[in-house]
Amino acid sequence: MIKIAICDDDKSVITSIKEAITDFGAANSVEFEIHSFSSGEKLVESELNFDLIFLDIEMSGIDGIKTAKLIRPTARRSRIVYVTNHSELALQSYSVHPFDFVVKPFKRERITHVLGELMKYLADTAEPESVIQLKGMDGPLLLNLKNIYVFEYTGNRRITVYTKSETYCIKGSLSEIFSLIDSESFTSPHKSFIINMEHIDKLSGFTLYTTNGIEVPVAQKKLKEFHNAFSSFIKNYIKQE
């Protein structure tokens, strides 16, 4: 899940950017969590960390540049896109390391370009085991492994990928998926399923339940194997903590 903040005292600007993000996500199978703020003060008070922040430079109260300076010490990894009516004001923002600039009035394509650059940046800087590129029905699909709950093979080289709130259909086999995954968090308790053990809620009989309610069967002959895999995962998880 990619978290984005929009901070602007103009509601129409917030709406335009939010619609562009939503459409980009739907077109590219990317999950976004969007938060909007009507002032720099409210963004600072939120104390939330975001992957990307669209930040208006000229706002009543504290302006965008001061807002960025206030949040930067605790949000060093947040990429800030300054939104302004005057391109020359962008020059004042280099002290707080901008990711990009958007000059009003802007076209939706400008927001789409910024989001595309964000996706490239996240893919380039992500740890090798944290991102997986899959064969989506309409082209390449890039997902964070930590956000994947379950892979379910449905036949005819079709796999359903379940995340916390979305499902995707991809091409391939579960063996091909395992060859792409460089993570000990995933195991196969059944020939038709791969599950991310980070999201297991409970095991009841021969059924696993994820934290968002997905049910995954455990084959009887694989029960012991699953218990061993889950025990090993828990031990490694505790060590990392």
Side-chain angles (χ1 to χ4, degrees):
M1 182 74 72
I2 297 174
K3 295 178 67 175
I4 295 182
I6 308 169
C7 184
D8 200 299
D9 55 6
D10 186 334
K11 290 183 178 180
S12 65
V13 171
I14 290 177
T15 299
S16 295
I17 295 176
K18 186 179 292 187
E19 289 176 349
I21 294 170
T22 300
D23 288 348
F24 181 93
N28 294 276
S29 299
V30 180
E31 294 182 86
F32 292 110
E33 180 181 313
I34 307 170
H35 297 253
S36 57
F37 303 90
S38 58
S39 68
E41 288 88 344
K42 290 184 178 180
L43 175 59
V44 173
E45 290 171 3
S46 74
E47 297 184 346
L48 297 174
N49 286 315
F50 297 97
D51 296 292
L52 186 70
I53 301 173
F54 287 95
L55 183 57
D56 185 19
I57 290 183
E58 302 156 277
M59 293 185 289
S60 55
I62 60 174
D63 62 31
I65 294 176
K66 186 174 181 180
T67 298
K69 289 179 178 178
L70 289 172
I71 65 174
R72 182 54 79 195
T74 57
R76 293 186 179 278
R77 299 185 67 180
S78 296
R79 285 145 296 269
I80 298 176
V81 176
Y82 290 98
V83 184
T84 177
N85 287 301
H86 306 287
S87 57
E88 62 270 16
L89 289 177
L91 296 175
Q92 302 175 21
S93 66
Y94 277 97
S95 61
V96 278
H97 313 297
F99 181 74
D100 208 336
F101 304 97
V102 172
V103 179
K104 302 175 186 178
F106 55 83
K107 294 182 179 180
R108 177 168 295 196
E109 289 78 8
R110 183 71 186 96
I111 306 300
T112 298
H113 172 78
V114 170
L115 295 173
E117 291 300 306
L118 173 66
M119 298 307 297
K120 292 178 184 177
Y121 177 86
L122 292 177
D124 290 342
T125 57
E127 296 179 0
E129 73 276 14
S130 65
V131 173
I132 186 172
Q133 182 169 305
L134 304 168
K135 297 177 182 178
M137 303 306 293
D138 299 314
L141 175 64
L142 189 68
L143 293 178
N144 190 310
L145 275 176
K146 290 185 178 294
N147 293 336
I148 297 173
Y149 283 53
V150 175
F151 294 94
E152 179 184 6
Y153 185 74
T154 56
N156 196 29
R157 289 187 59 78
R158 295 291 184 269
I159 297 172
T160 300
V161 185
Y162 298 89
T163 66
K164 182 177 181 179
S165 57
E166 301 289 339
T167 60
Y168 304 97
C169 185
I170 64 171
K171 306 172 187 176
S173 66
L174 292 187
S175 61
E176 290 172 346
I177 295 298
F178 258 129
S179 70
L180 295 173
I181 295 175
D182 183 16
S183 171
E184 296 181 354
S185 298
F186 290 82
T187 189
S188 178
H190 186 281
K191 65 179 182 180
S192 297
F193 291 86
I194 296 175
I195 188 169
N196 186 344
M197 291 182 282
E198 291 188 30
H199 301 302
I200 290 177
D201 183 39
K202 64 180 179 179
L203 170 64
S204 178
F206 290 95
T207 302
L208 287 166
Y209 296 85
T210 65
T211 52
N212 65 336
I214 300 171
E215 296 183 17
V216 175
V218 180
Q220 186 172 358
K221 64 181 181 179
K222 283 197 169 189
L223 185 60
K224 183 177 180 179
E225 179 184 333
F226 167 73
H227 278 300
N228 291 337
F230 191 61
S231 177
S232 177
F233 166 75
I234 292 298
K235 288 178 181 177
N236 290 332
Y237 184 83
I238 292 173
K239 287 180 181 178
Q240 292 172 10
E241 290 293 302

